[in-house]
Amino acid sequence: MIKYLLITIIILNIIGTISYVIHRSNDFYVDKFIQRKIILDNIPDIDVTTIINTCCRHNTPDDSIIKQCIQSLKKIPELTKYIIIVFDGSYINQEKYIHKKCKDKCDNEKYEIYKKKVIKFTKDLYPNSDLQFIEMKERSCLTTSLKKGMSKAKTEYINLMQEDLIINKKFDAKNILKIMNEYDDMSIVRYSKGSNLSHEKYGKQLGIKNIKSIIQINDYIFSKSNEYSDNNHITTKTFYDKHVWPRVKSCDFMEHSISISDKMKDFPSEMWYIGDYNDGNYINNDFINTYGDSKIISKEQILAAAA
């Protein structure tokens, strides 16, 4: 009896994989399709801290972009219980160690106005949230500022947001956090700009191994991400402590140290997107990039930035 039951389960999984691949055959080929069941109702809600990093820019004290970012959290209330905003420092102490994108001149007087505006806006918008505002003493760039923010977080789970990437589509953060907590092979969940497939195509251009896997947990679909990105995602402090911070330089950007094919070889494959490869478009930045960068960065630019 057990033998026939096991055979039935295997056949059903094969049929599910074939039907999914056929259903999506016009868009991509799925190398692996996995199904899991988790009783989510029995799992307590899991808290998460949203961390947003910001800095002194050429348009300071204009705070319109970060306000859109902070406001967009209203779409997903689970992401607003704990919020940390890290203000990078204005003073450049050791210039030679700081990435060139973090060396812009800063009008400190205008930056102080900017910080006060952002703090007031956030307090008024989320009066019942646990809010922290961290001011770095000197220019630290993304890696050092985010590491400081994570060290102050009261939760294991972190929702990492770029200040110029605005949430424009809801997702079920409550149950995604539960799934991440129960499924060992899921330490980063990305909610991306553009389609998930477009990010995979970009990673393939950089020489990153591209294996397309889909996992369905209950009614939730996730697709495998083959590259690390410091764009918006949910993760854990433990994952960053073990796998990200040891690989990156201080006063830099995480992507510049990790998202290159030879540096992704030993990186854990615990990264997923919300939805299948045609899903995505959870965030946007449909305004002038605050860094002044082009929106498409070549492989040569990334390699040069990481050098």
Side-chain angles (χ1 to χ4, degrees), residues 285-302:
N285 62 344
D286 295 333
F287 38 75
I288 297 173
N289 191 299
T290 51
Y291 288 109
D293 300 332
S294 60
K295 294 198 174 184
I296 299 176
I297 302 175
S298 68
K299 177 178 180 179
E300 290 72 24
Q301 286 174 297
I302 289 182

Side-chain angles (χ1 to χ4, degrees), residues 9 19 40 58 81-82 100 108 123 133 137 145 165 180 182 184 189 202 209 225 254 259 276 282 285:
I9 291 171
S19 64
L40 298 175
H58 60 84
K81 185 174 180 179
Y82 298 90
K100 60 185 178 182
N108 196 56
K123 286 182 174 180
F133 304 97
K137 292 181 180 179
S145 295
L165 292 175
M180 291 179 71
E182 294 297 309
D184 292 338
V189 171
Y202 178 60
K209 191 175 182 180
S225 171
M254 289 88 73
S259 293
D276 65 29
Y282 287 94
N285 62 344

Side-chain angles (χ1 to χ4, degrees), residues 245-263:
W245 301 136
R247 286 177 164 84
V248 302
K249 297 182 289 187
S250 298
C251 304
D252 203 337
F253 294 85
M254 289 88 73
E255 277 191 4
H256 296 160
S257 300
I258 298 175
S259 293
I260 302 169
S261 57
D262 60 334
K263 296 186 180 182

Side-chain angles (χ1 to χ4, degrees), residues 59-70:
N59 59 349
T60 302
D62 177 26
D63 60 348
S64 57
I65 291 175
I66 192 171
K67 277 185 176 179
Q68 290 181 63
C69 178
I70 297 166

